[in-house]
Amino acid sequence: MPINIHHFERCKQQGKPIVALTAWEFSSAQVLDQCGVDLLLVGDSLAMVALGYTSTLPITLDEILHHAKAVRRAVTQAFLVVDLPFLSYQESPQQAMHSAGRALKEAEAQAVKLEGGHTEIVQTVRYLVQMGVPVMGHIGLTPQSVNQVGGYRKQGTDAESQSRLLNEAKALEEAGAFSIVLEHMPPELAQQISRTLAIPTIGIGAGPHCDGQVLVTHDLLGLSEWRPPFARAYANLRETMTDAVKRFSDDVRERRFPG
Ligand code: KIV
């Protein structure tokens, strides 16, 4: 049975950790889906990791949707979430609805993810949910705010920002978000937020106490040239790929391929 939104509240109630990964293209999305990953996110990290932009800011909704459609064609079981990129939802709730609507119609996404937890974003989340769009929140390190924050720093490192993040999480839940990504914050804060909320938290660089964990798939596979300190590589595909390409090149140059 394909996963629907109720799966996540059941996981939280039953204390079953949620597995989430990013997906950007057909073949690897098929593998992730067949491995039984609960939630696949067409994250805007795609901008930096797969498209080579220097931040997530330049990627457009059209670019994200191009990838999301390929992932949709691959996925039969996992719950599909699409990131709304910078400037596709910040102007107004109506702009957000238009962008989210495109994700749901064109890529058949089951939900969208928005960054931030301040008042305007909470209002937008409430509007989307009222209009029938499931929303995942994202607080802590929010890469779309890199220019305002001045880097990709850990968030919630002092009492004031900890209390702000806790309040943002509560406000997003109250506005109807079905889940919230907690990125790069102290584990104790993520634990407090996870205990306070009835909806599941999905952590990335937020310690072991979240209700689920998400990683950028390229980081998990060891394919990225750089990965954040909190990511764990479960393979070294960069090395495997380099070795395969070198052996192929040698075989071609030595006329060993084709045999
Ligand atoms: O864009 C992305 O990949 C994300 C995850 C890091 C949660 O937002």
Side-chain angles (χ1 to χ4, degrees):
M1 276 279 280
I3 290 178
N4 67 34
I5 196 165
H6 300 300
H7 176 75
F8 301 102
E9 66 203 38
R10 279 198 298 273
C11 285
K12 173 107 185 184
Q13 282 157 11
Q14 294 167 8
K16 257 166 79 180
I18 296 163
V19 180
L21 282 171
T22 59
W24 302 323
E25 55 90 39
F26 183 81
S27 307
S28 53
Q30 261 185 336
V31 175
L32 304 178
D33 191 50
Q34 286 162 11
C35 285
V37 173
D38 298 294
L39 184 151
L40 289 177
L41 170 68
V42 184
D44 63 357
S45 53
L46 156 68
M48 298 172 80
V49 185
L51 302 183
Y53 290 121
T54 54
S55 76
T56 59
L57 299 186
I59 196 165
T60 63
L61 183 59
D62 282 335
E63 286 173 304
I64 296 240
L65 291 182
H66 178 68
H67 287 263
K69 285 188 236 175
V71 172
R72 173 78 282 170
R73 290 191 278 271
V75 170
T76 63
Q77 297 302 312
F79 191 80
L80 182 61
V81 182
V82 170
D83 250 352
L84 292 189
F86 181 66
L87 214 52
S88 73
Y89 62 95
Q90 287 92 345
E91 281 180 21
S92 65
Q94 288 72 21
Q95 188 208 23
M97 184 62 209
H98 183 76
S99 302
R102 285 193 61 197
L104 267 60
K105 282 173 85 78
E106 295 175 34
E108 295 175 69
Q110 286 155 289
V112 294
K113 176 164 81 58
L114 272 64
E115 290 187 9
H118 52 81
T119 317
E120 288 74 13
I121 293 294
V122 171
Q123 277 167 2
T124 295
V125 169
R126 191 186 313 282
Y127 183 73
L128 291 179
V129 173
Q130 280 170 354
M131 291 295 152
V133 178
V135 177
M136 186 173 209
H138 182 161
I139 59 170
L141 171 60
T142 48
Q144 292 178 18
S145 311
V146 61
N147 292 321
Q148 193 175 43
V149 176
Y152 297 100
R153 291 202 206 99
K154 189 181 219 174
Q155 300 296 302
T157 50
D158 57 61
E160 193 207 315
S161 62
Q162 286 170 5
S163 123
R164 179 178 49 76
L165 286 167
L166 178 59
N167 288 333
E168 287 181 357
K170 287 187 203 163
L172 286 168
E173 173 173 76
E174 193 272 323
F178 77 93
S179 170
I180 304 182
V181 168
L182 305 180
E183 181 163 357
H184 210 10
M185 64 174 67
E188 303 73 27
L189 174 61
Q191 182 174 33
Q192 191 190 4
I193 294 174
S194 305
R195 280 188 180 156
T196 306
L197 301 189
I199 58 170
T201 59
I202 310 290
I204 173 159
H209 308 294
C210 297
D211 302 301
Q213 298 289 331
V214 60
L215 277 183
V216 170
T217 300
H218 276 50
D219 294 341
L220 172 149
L221 296 175
L223 202 48
S224 333
E225 195 164 29
W226 175 89
R227 62 175 177 272
F230 50 74
R232 186 186 294 172
Y234 286 80
N236 191 341
L237 287 202
R238 201 170 179 91
E239 201 174 282
T240 306
M241 200 168 155
T242 304
D243 177 59
V245 173
K246 278 189 177 156
R247 286 193 294 116
F248 169 71
S249 306
D250 288 349
D251 283 353
V252 170
R253 290 182 183 125
E254 297 298 325
R255 300 193 183 281
R256 287 190 298 256
F257 180 87

